[in-house]
Amino acid sequence: MKISNPRRIVGSNAERTRLHNRQVVLGHVRERQPIGRAEIARISGLSTQAVSNIIAELEEDRLLIEAGRQSEGRGLPVLKYRLNADGAVALGIEVRPDAMFGALVNLEGETLFTTREALPDNAPSTVVSVARRIRASALEGRCGKTQKILGPAW
């Protein structure tokens, strides 16, 4: 049997679903931190096992860290999680006709760097050059080797 569309592969949605579920878990942690696995499962509709697996990945990626244990009724104290503010940064660049703006923020939204650079012209090569300069300035001395930069690779 010949595959007419090689991009359409069985299981291709599994990766998209996995990434979506990671975003769901990160969003709930961000909104309600510190928060435990069972609570994330309850509000997200994911199974506790799925949440546990996602949290293990997010801890390995240094995006989540343990925030201690809290007693909630009977049984063992619940292990809570929170965002690791230093686990990743996001770089945003805005292009306007006469200038470019850049901002670097950590996972908790704390601004680490901002800049404005004039654009001598709107040629794509100029915009790319200025964007690379903004990126270099933003990351200089602010990102460790283990810290991730969120978004598309440059």
Side-chain angles (χ1 to χ4, degrees), residues 66-127:
E66 292 181 7
R69 293 187 179 272
Q70 183 177 349
S71 291
E72 294 180 358
R74 294 188 285 171
L76 293 173
V78 176
L79 183 56
K80 301 283 188 163
Y81 297 90
R82 68 176 177 82
L83 292 177
N84 177 10
D86 298 325
V89 294
L91 174 64
I93 295 179
E94 179 183 350
V95 182
R96 293 190 182 174
D98 61 340
M100 289 177 68
F101 299 84
L104 186 74
V105 297
N106 67 15
L107 274 183
E108 293 196 340
E110 177 188 0
T111 302
L112 305 174
F113 171 86
T114 60
T115 190
R116 178 192 187 279
E117 292 217 19
L119 272 179
D121 61 70
N122 303 48
S125 60
T126 302
V127 172

Side-chain angles (χ1 to χ4, degrees), residues 25-31 33-35 58 62-67 81-87 106-109:
V25 169
L26 277 172
H28 288 305
V29 172
R30 183 183 56 78
E31 291 170 2
Q33 61 186 324
I35 186 171
L58 294 171
R62 298 191 59 231
L63 300 178
L64 289 185
I65 56 176
E66 292 181 7
Y81 297 90
R82 68 176 177 82
L83 292 177
N84 177 10
D86 298 325
N106 67 15
L107 274 183
E108 293 196 340

Side-chain angles (χ1 to χ4, degrees), residues 110-149:
E110 177 188 0
T111 302
L112 305 174
F113 171 86
T114 60
T115 190
R116 178 192 187 279
E117 292 217 19
L119 272 179
D121 61 70
N122 303 48
S125 60
T126 302
V127 172
V128 169
S129 176
V130 173
R132 286 187 174 140
R133 193 165 58 242
I134 289 172
R135 179 187 187 275
S137 295
L139 300 178
E140 187 177 315
R142 290 179 183 84
C143 290
K145 291 183 181 184
T146 60
Q147 194 169 39
K148 294 181 183 223
I149 302 168

Side-chain angles (χ1 to χ4, degrees), residues 2-58:
K2 186 176 178 181
I3 298 174
S4 60
N5 183 354
R7 294 178 138 203
R8 193 166 187 205
I9 301 170
V10 175
S12 64
N13 288 334
E15 180 65 15
R16 189 174 305 143
T17 301
R18 187 181 77 77
L19 292 174
H20 170 76
N21 289 344
R22 282 173 56 109
Q23 290 175 341
V24 166
V25 169
L26 277 172
H28 288 305
V29 172
R30 183 183 56 78
E31 291 170 2
R32 295 175 174 87
Q33 61 186 324
I35 186 171
R37 286 179 247 181
E39 186 177 356
I40 294 169
R42 201 170 27 257
I43 59 180
S44 69
L46 297 170
S47 70
T48 305
Q49 184 60 53
V51 170
S52 293
N53 292 341
I54 292 167
I55 285 177
E57 285 179 21
L58 294 171

